[in-house]
Amino acid sequence: MNFICLNKNFIKQKTKSVLAVEMSIISFSLTVFSFFGDFTLKNWNFCLLGKFSVVFLFFIFCVFIAFILSCLLTFLKVENRVWGKNNSTLSIIYGDIFNLKQKKNKKQFIVIPVDTQFMTEVDSESLNIKYPRVAPDSLHGKFISKFYKNKNDKLKNDIETYIDKKEYKIDKKQQSKYSTLSENRFEVGTIVQIAPENDKGKIFLLLALAEFDEHNKASCSKSKLIIALNALFKFYDENCQGGDLYIPLMGTGFSRVGLTENESLRITKSCAELNLDYIKGNVSIVVYKKLRMDVSIFQ
């Protein structure tokens, strides 16, 4: 029932389309039958009310079949194309951000929300760190564990090299706010591009989103998420040469924005639609596939 409520507008639209097809098939069939024989209501051995009841019940049956087929088609559909122009598209899809099918001869850019310090330490096993640097169950933590396990120094060096190359400036406001901490902090929306050696087909865009305090407690806000998303689309236009961009839902968990997945999707979609001029390729907002029953891609 929750699935139907989430997708009611799309299911309603699809039901109308399926019903129209059903009616066309029935009309064509009746025309054919009438051509070969006298198939009319006059030959039915029912009173007028009986004939009306039969027709009405048959119509209700057709609506029911159309509704069931629409629900099934909606459940099986994994992509909703929101916008398209020339070779550029904006879609919402169900999937796993780390296991996306790569298109032939297309670069795959995957967004990973991180903290403004670009931390590389994950307390994934021993829990010996009093204040964990990166939560192991966050996308940031999963990225490090999957592609840089036991290679923290390598990741840290790659990040620092990219920051130096881009000549990113330290965020003095953050540095002053957290003066007791030594790590450099960068503005929300700063992006570091990383290409892991163990998966040549993927390029990750580490997007600075959350600020960590002295206890490594993350904090963010809806306005900062919007700032980060706007910066992301501009970066994509300037640096990704029309490659495929995949954006997960952000602000729903460890960044502590406090958004639901549906709210995050609406914000991400709205920001994307406001930045269509920056989309010169295929951009997909990725809803984790296991959230299919809770989040609708047909918003």
Side-chain angles (χ1 to χ4, degrees):
M1 184 61 69
N2 185 49
F3 172 79
I4 295 175
C5 291
L6 283 171
N7 299 283
K8 60 182 180 181
N9 291 331
F10 184 78
I11 291 175
K12 182 179 179 181
Q13 177 185 350
K14 187 65 69 175
T15 299
K16 289 180 179 178
S17 299
V18 174
L19 186 60
V21 173
E22 288 180 348
M23 293 297 102
S24 297
I25 294 173
I26 292 170
S27 297
F28 176 77
S29 300
L30 290 176
T31 301
V32 172
F33 290 146
S34 297
F35 180 79
F36 289 103
D38 189 10
F39 187 80
T40 64
L41 290 178
K42 294 179 181 179
N43 297 325
W44 291 15
N45 295 318
F46 297 109
C47 65
L48 182 61
L49 180 60
K51 292 176 182 179
F52 175 80
S53 299
V54 170
V55 172
F56 177 75
L57 290 174
F58 182 73
F59 177 75
I60 293 299
F61 176 75
C62 290
V63 172
F64 176 74
I65 294 299
F67 174 74
I68 295 299
L69 287 174
S70 298
C71 289
L72 180 61
L73 291 171
T74 303
F75 181 77
L76 294 176
K77 196 172 177 65
V78 296
E79 178 178 358
N80 176 29
R81 180 167 293 187
V82 177
W83 171 85
K85 183 179 181 181
N86 298 327
N87 294 322
S88 302
T89 63
L90 171 64
S91 301
I92 307 173
I93 65 173
Y94 289 120
D96 183 341
I97 200 75
F98 293 115
N99 295 288
L100 297 165
K101 184 177 180 181
Q102 188 168 2
K103 299 173 185 175
K104 188 177 181 180
N105 300 323
K106 291 282 285 186
K107 290 184 178 180
Q108 193 177 68
F109 295 89
I110 300 172
V111 178
I112 301 294
V114 303
D115 61 278
T116 57
Q117 296 165 277
F118 293 94
M119 293 183 179
T120 60
E121 299 176 30
V122 180
D123 182 27
S124 59
E125 296 178 359
S126 64
L127 300 178
N128 287 330
I129 300 175
K130 184 176 181 181
Y131 302 118
R133 308 290 279 177
V134 180
D137 293 330
S138 65
L139 285 179
H140 189 185
K142 291 177 180 178
F143 161 74
I144 296 173
S145 299
K146 185 175 178 67
F147 297 99
Y148 287 92
K149 190 173 183 179
N150 302 321
K151 296 180 181 179
N152 293 69
D153 292 339
K154 161 79 173 149
L155 176 58
K156 189 173 184 178
N157 181 68
D158 288 348
I159 291 173
E160 291 176 349
T161 299
Y162 191 86
I163 287 175
D164 291 340
K165 176 185 175 182
K166 286 289 189 178
E167 298 182 344
Y168 289 147
K169 303 299 182 183
I170 294 173
D171 187 346
K172 294 182 179 179
K173 186 176 181 180
Q174 278 193 72
Q175 291 294 103
S176 175
K177 182 178 179 181
Y178 304 103
S179 58
T180 58
L181 303 176
S182 60
E183 290 89 345
N184 290 333
R185 294 171 180 267
F186 298 88
E187 292 183 354
V188 168
T190 300
I191 296 172
V192 170
Q193 184 171 300
I194 296 292
E197 294 178 350
N198 58 343
D199 196 330
K200 296 295 184 180
K202 293 181 173 63
I203 300 172
F204 289 90
L205 304 182
L206 307 185
L207 175 63
L209 180 61
E211 297 178 12
F212 280 174
D213 63 16
E214 62 274 10
H215 298 304
N216 291 333
K217 182 178 179 181
S219 64
C220 190
S221 65
K222 188 185 297 185
S223 60
K224 289 181 179 178
L225 173 60
I226 293 172
I227 290 172
L229 285 168
N230 289 335
L232 170 64
F233 290 112
K234 184 177 180 181
F235 181 93
Y236 170 70
D237 179 46
E238 296 174 349
N239 297 274
C240 298
Q241 297 82 45
D244 293 337
L245 178 67
Y246 295 92
I247 310 169
L249 299 185
M250 297 180 284
T252 61
F254 295 94
S255 62
R256 301 179 191 274
V257 181
L259 300 175
T260 65
E261 284 80 5
N262 281 292
E263 289 171 338
S264 177
L265 176 55
R266 283 192 287 271
I267 290 173
T268 306
K269 178 188 173 186
S270 296
C271 285
E273 289 174 328
L274 289 172
N275 287 279
L276 292 178
D277 289 341
Y278 288 138
I279 297 180
K280 302 296 189 297
N282 301 310
V283 174
S284 298
I285 303 170
V286 183
V287 177
Y288 187 42
K289 57 185 180 182
K290 291 186 178 180
L291 295 175
R292 182 190 293 267
M293 301 303 291
D294 301 306
V295 182
S296 172
I297 62 174
F298 305 105
Q299 295 191 19

